[in-house]
Amino acid sequence: MQEALRRALRRRSPLRRLLRDLAQAIPGAGGAVYLVGGYLRNIVEGREPGDVDLLVTGLSYRRTGDVLRSLSVKVPGIRKVVAAGRHFPVHRIAVDWGKEYIDISNARAGGHPRPQRPGAAPADDDREAVDDASRRDFTINGLLFRLAPDRFVEDGRLLDPFGGIEDVRRKRIRCVGEAADRFREDPLRIVRAIRLKNERLGFVLHPATASAIRRLGPSLLPAVSPDRLSVELVRSLSANPAGTIDYL
């Protein structure tokens, strides 16, 4: 993973510099910072990395904002830092080198699923991050990479507590923990599972995930707003029209 991540960041020097500075500033304030989610998933899949999402542990939301705003004064390329997020608060960094935003969230408490493969127990200082990952939707989105303060990629470490890399290799979409729990937390994940499958040639839904979709979809999906549904449906239909209709 380190080598693939190095190659990806080598092509985006401004992002590399920003992550290096964050990897020093957050631990310097007593926290830890992780790359999370789709950026890592895409690297594992051999795809072009997309949006960058970061997770901060060990610091409060307010303290994280203070660190980021302080950093924005010293680091070239940060245009502004804003508070965002309707469902849970995040800090969003606007950068000078493109239209993208970098979202930085703080770890959420209350996750439940335990790591699902032998030897996956996290180190004590990673438990907060793994607890947050346990609340994510699918195992392929539950990867974390802890950035190190000095050689932030070379000395960093990959965490895969729920077997996401194995699911990529086996070409399957599988919920973290109990599928029914994940879908009740956010019913939109039902359609997202179908979209993720249709965007990936040869992927299938894990049997337990597919079973929960059939069982819970009719009762849960009517509560999802049409705006949120349409985003997932359009992406799935664009990737595989026939497959989307068949699964729906």
Side-chain angles (χ1 to χ4, degrees):
M1 169 60 79
Q2 273 94 338
E3 181 55 36
L5 184 55
R6 263 199 308 269
R7 288 197 302 269
L9 293 176
R10 199 175 295 133
R11 298 192 295 268
R12 301 178 66 186
S13 295
L15 174 60
R16 187 182 189 283
R17 288 194 295 269
L18 175 58
L19 292 180
R20 178 199 62 201
D21 291 330
L22 284 169
Q24 294 174 347
I26 297 296
V33 59
Y34 302 78
L35 273 167
V36 297
Y39 190 87
L40 295 176
R41 180 199 66 220
N42 284 7
I43 289 177
V44 170
E45 292 181 308
R47 294 168 174 245
E48 187 66 25
D51 294 338
V52 176
D53 293 309
L54 299 170
L55 174 72
V56 169
T57 64
L59 298 180
S60 68
Y61 176 74
R62 178 175 294 182
R63 179 61 177 142
T64 300
D66 291 341
V67 173
L68 295 176
R69 283 184 286 272
S70 173
L71 196 65
S72 69
V73 176
K74 300 179 288 185
V75 176
I78 297 179
R79 185 155 38 90
K80 61 180 177 178
V81 176
V82 298
R86 184 189 307 176
H87 300 290
F88 60 91
V90 300
H91 288 98
R92 179 164 282 183
I93 294 179
V95 296
D96 287 337
W97 64 79
K99 296 180 180 179
E100 67 183 299
Y101 288 89
I102 296 172
D103 284 346
I104 302 178
S105 61
N106 290 86
R108 301 163 289 179
H112 298 295
R114 294 183 178 182
Q116 296 170 353
R117 56 188 178 86
D124 286 342
D125 55 350
D126 290 322
R127 289 187 184 279
E128 192 178 351
V130 172
D131 189 56
D132 182 87
S134 75
R135 301 183 63 173
R136 291 183 175 269
D137 47 12
F138 306 105
T139 61
I140 64 174
N141 292 331
L143 304 173
L144 308 103
F145 188 91
R146 181 167 178 165
L147 301 176
D150 297 321
R151 301 196 309 161
F152 72 105
V153 173
E154 291 81 355
D155 293 339
R157 63 175 176 261
L158 175 68
L159 289 82
D160 179 19
F162 304 105
I165 291 177
E166 179 65 17
D167 283 335
V168 169
R169 290 171 178 159
R170 298 180 68 171
K171 294 190 172 183
R172 62 188 185 186
I173 305 299
R174 178 168 63 95
C175 285
V176 171
E178 292 294 328
D181 293 340
R182 301 291 81 75
F183 292 146
R184 289 191 181 101
E185 288 166 357
D186 184 358
L188 184 66
R189 290 169 171 173
I190 291 172
V191 181
R192 185 175 300 146
I194 295 172
R195 187 259 294 174
L196 287 170
K197 183 205 78 70
N198 283 310
E199 287 178 337
R200 288 158 176 79
L201 184 64
F203 271 65
V204 299
L205 298 178
H206 184 271
T209 297
S211 176
I213 288 174
R214 287 192 298 269
R215 188 171 73 255
L216 299 174
S219 61
L220 294 181
L221 280 175
V224 181
S225 73
D227 287 345
R228 297 182 73 211
L229 274 175
S230 65
V231 172
E232 297 290 345
L233 286 173
V234 167
R235 290 181 64 180
S236 186
L237 286 164
S238 298
N240 183 351
T244 299
I245 296 301
D246 183 55
Y247 265 77
L248 290 174

